[in-house]
Amino acid sequence: APFLSARLLTPMRLSLLAAACAVALAACGRGVVIGSTPAPDPAILSADQLLDAMHRRYSASWYRNVTFVQKSTYLRPDGTTSRVETWYEASALPGRLRIDLGEPSRGNGVLYRGDSAYSMQAGRIADRRIARNPLLILGFDVYAQEPSRTFTQLRAEKFDMTVMRMDTLNGRRMYVIGAGPGDYTTSQFWVDSESLLFTRMIQTERNRTQDVRFENYVQHAGGWVAETVRVFVDGKLFFLEEYQNVRVNVVLDENLFIPERWATAGHWYQP
């Protein structure tokens, strides 16, 4: 899941990003670096203004929850497939995400709830830690919660919210928050300047750079889901996510997101 790659079952976090000529200026009391080409929206000159624009664009129409079946493919450094797994995911926005790793009846998975992450084995809590999922925040929660809360969460995740630049990805203009021109390893995230959808996040940890890309956005209700996610490690494709049977605004048992009720909650997936 774009979600799982964020820090529970793997020590990797996420990293890397972009470039451009730049000039310094001030906006809303924050020092900001922006590329020499004017931003598509001249009113967006800082991280808080960007998050506010993202939320304002979609908050009235974004879905309340989403479920999907995920084909998870692990790749070796030479590009060949190492293994393929099927995961079952449900998210209730903001802040809740359940990932069943393999058949739900086995009771294995990961649960993100607020600022806590739980590892589940055979329906029981195997581990709990303080952790948020930045990919959940940027790809989903940003459109469903107050921008000030998103800003605070991302700053706590070590993104430098005072630095902004313009860049391009696949020929499209991007806002980049967290790193200046020529810096491709400091924690940073990218947002499409036209659609205001999250597209990329990069971080480096223990000398390993992880680059996560949200691709193949498909509209669902008044929101969007990136139905393909690619995770690169040190420039090589390491993990591929492909979503199937995406559904939004479905009826979900609230117990699905309570770790103590993991095994007894009514599951959304019916074979």
Side-chain angles (χ1 to χ4, degrees):
F3 317 111
L4 192 57
S5 49
R7 73 173 75 143
L8 188 58
L9 301 184
T10 169
M12 292 183 294
R13 297 292 188 267
L14 312 155
S15 315
L16 185 64
L17 258 356
C21 308
V23 294
L25 54 85
C28 294
R30 293 182 166 83
V32 179
V33 176
I34 291 193
S36 55
T37 301
D41 184 345
I44 298 177
L45 297 174
S46 63
D48 52 352
Q49 291 174 344
L50 174 60
L51 296 177
D52 183 67
M54 294 170 72
H55 180 263
R56 196 167 58 247
R57 172 77 64 86
Y58 294 107
S59 61
S61 60
W62 201 265
Y63 42 81
R64 301 181 306 277
N65 61 48
V66 57
T67 63
F68 54 86
V69 178
Q70 176 177 311
K71 178 182 178 182
S72 305
T73 303
Y74 293 84
L75 296 105
R76 302 183 182 91
D78 64 2
T80 59
T81 298
S82 172
R83 70 180 187 275
V84 178
E85 300 176 355
T86 301
W87 299 352
Y88 303 83
E89 307 201 19
S91 180
L93 308 179
R96 291 175 292 172
L97 170 70
R98 173 177 172 139
I99 307 170
D100 289 86
L101 302 174
E103 288 297 326
S105 60
R106 298 176 183 174
N108 301 323
V110 179
L111 176 66
Y112 289 95
R113 184 181 176 90
D115 63 356
S116 297
Y118 302 82
S119 178
M120 309 297 298
Q121 293 182 5
R124 297 173 180 254
I125 300 172
D127 179 57
R128 175 186 176 181
R129 65 188 68 183
I130 300 299
R132 284 179 294 268
N133 189 320
L135 292 169
L136 176 62
I137 296 169
L138 283 164
F140 300 86
D141 288 351
V142 63
Y143 306 107
Q145 66 184 11
E146 287 301 312
S148 59
R149 177 171 175 76
T150 301
F151 186 97
T152 299
Q153 291 175 329
L154 294 174
R155 184 170 54 188
E157 292 299 312
K158 308 304 181 184
F159 292 101
D160 187 343
M161 304 298 281
T162 69
V163 178
M164 175 176 170
R165 75 174 188 272
M166 298 305 299
D167 212 311
T168 59
L169 180 65
N170 298 326
R172 296 182 65 85
R173 296 279 287 167
M174 300 284 159
Y175 295 105
V176 182
I177 303 296
D183 183 345
Y184 296 90
T185 55
T186 301
S187 296
Q188 56 196 273
F189 61 88
W190 297 40
V191 175
D192 186 286
S193 66
E194 181 179 350
S195 68
L196 294 181
L197 295 173
F198 165 72
T199 60
R200 191 179 189 187
M201 183 164 66
I202 300 171
Q203 290 177 317
T204 298
E205 183 174 289
R206 299 175 184 173
N207 297 318
R208 300 185 73 190
T209 296
Q210 186 169 339
D211 178 352
V212 181
R213 305 186 190 187
F214 275 33
E215 302 174 347
N216 186 29
Y217 267 104
V218 176
Q219 188 169 23
H220 292 274
W224 297 79
V225 176
E227 297 193 0
T228 301
V229 177
R230 299 180 191 273
V231 181
F232 296 84
V233 175
D234 293 336
K236 295 183 178 181
L237 184 61
F238 169 77
F239 187 63
L240 173 64
E241 305 175 6
E242 298 171 286
Y243 301 169
Q244 303 166 350
N245 301 324
V246 178
R247 301 181 186 278
V248 301
N249 294 332
V250 298
V251 176
L252 289 179
D253 185 346
E254 288 293 315
N255 291 321
L256 284 167
F257 305 102
I258 299 176
E260 294 80 5
R261 300 175 184 174
W262 179 279
T264 58
H267 205 280
W268 61 270
Y269 178 71
Q270 299 298 323

